[in-house]
Amino acid sequence: DLQGLLKSAVLARCSGAARVVGFPPVHLRERAASWLYSEQPEIGAVAHVIDRQLGLLRAVGIPNPPRVFPLRIASTPAVAAVMRLAEGGPFALLIPGAGWPNKEWGPGRFGALASAMTSRLGLAPVVCWGPTERALAEEVVRASNGSARLAPPTGVADLAALARVAAVVVGGDTGPVHLSEAAGGRVVCVLGPTDPVRNGPALAGSGFVSRFAECGCRYARSCRRATPCIATIEVDEVLAEVAQVRAMASG
């Protein structure tokens, strides 16, 4: 059980497997999951969630697995559609949504970033959105002064294919951003209440901007302050990180 939740532990136990292997309590998100494991091997003092999960695999005979994602990514019609939006030039994927309000940087800032990307980096920003996020994406487009384009509806396979050919992917600590990196994209992660050492980009060539050190609501879904820490991250900081990631890609 690589999730470490009570519901995932229940599913693991209900599988009928003779061995149910889970994290020791210190690494569990919900400690009640311990009741359902037959084994809880020690995995050492690992920081990043990916290394933590790879560490658990040693208990089932997979020692020191590499931190790679051998995914086969096929192109989809969404790639051609986005390339038309970008008029054949380099494009950036912006992912403004997040699972927690406390992880959202805000449509106004994403819009300003899109405008700066166009004028200063020569990128065509394309805003991706999930099933409930179209209004948020449209707000980013409006805030961009005509710089950003609204992506067509994209599923998981579309996002993976787009990330692979995008110049950069920018978003918060959210599944689509991590999927983008796993698919071969270079990401810039904008982080507030979550630790970049634990939840930030996993691979060389990506980057992040963080306010975790100053955050008073770490790992809280909603901020208790008048101004969330993530809202203090300036557009120029993220733009500089985007430029750095692009420079690493070309160098």
Side-chain angles (χ1 to χ4, degrees):
D1 175 18
L2 298 178
Q3 190 70 13
L5 298 175
L6 183 58
K7 62 183 178 183
S8 59
V10 168
L11 287 172
R13 174 60 72 178
C14 289
S15 71
R19 300 172 66 196
V20 180
V21 183
F23 292 111
V26 68
H27 291 293
L28 283 175
R29 292 172 62 186
E30 296 178 354
R31 295 201 173 197
S34 293
W35 306 336
L36 298 162
Y37 299 141
S38 61
E39 300 174 40
Q40 292 180 274
E42 289 298 327
I43 61 172
V46 292
H48 201 281
V49 290
I50 290 175
D51 295 322
R52 182 184 67 175
Q53 292 168 344
L54 292 176
L56 194 62
L57 297 182
R58 289 195 293 269
V60 292
I62 307 175
N64 303 315
R67 195 197 254 195
V68 296
F69 300 90
L71 303 176
R72 295 181 180 179
I73 309 297
S75 187
T76 73
V79 173
V82 168
M83 290 295 290
R84 286 193 296 272
L85 288 173
E87 300 177 350
F91 66 91
L93 293 183
L94 303 185
I95 302 177
W100 302 354
N102 208 12
K103 292 182 181 181
E104 292 187 358
W105 193 36
R109 297 177 190 88
F110 271 107
L113 177 67
S115 180
M117 279 180 162
T118 301
S119 63
R120 294 160 61 180
L121 299 181
L123 294 173
V126 178
V127 187
C128 292
W129 47 281
T132 63
E133 297 172 339
R134 179 159 187 157
L136 173 64
E138 289 174 340
E139 193 173 349
V140 173
V141 172
R142 286 193 297 271
S144 73
N145 295 319
S147 296
R149 290 80 161 167
L150 185 70
T154 52
V156 171
D158 298 315
L159 180 61
L162 284 167
R164 202 174 183 90
V165 296
V168 67
V169 181
V170 183
D173 175 14
T174 184
V177 173
H178 299 308
L179 170 65
S180 296
E181 189 182 32
R186 294 177 180 271
V187 310
V188 171
C189 207
V190 184
L191 297 159
T194 52
D195 188 353
V197 175
R198 182 182 186 275
N199 303 100
L203 303 177
S206 291
F208 66 87
V209 181
S210 173
R211 286 294 186 272
F212 182 73
E214 297 90 348
C215 184
C217 309
R218 294 180 176 180
Y219 291 95
R221 290 179 178 269
S222 298
C223 185
R224 296 184 293 272
R225 294 178 172 177
T227 301
C229 62
I230 196 169
T232 68
I233 294 176
E234 300 291 341
V235 169
D236 280 351
E237 293 179 77
V238 180
L239 189 70
E241 193 67 16
V242 169
Q244 175 74 13
V245 165
R246 291 208 71 204
M248 287 190 291
S250 60

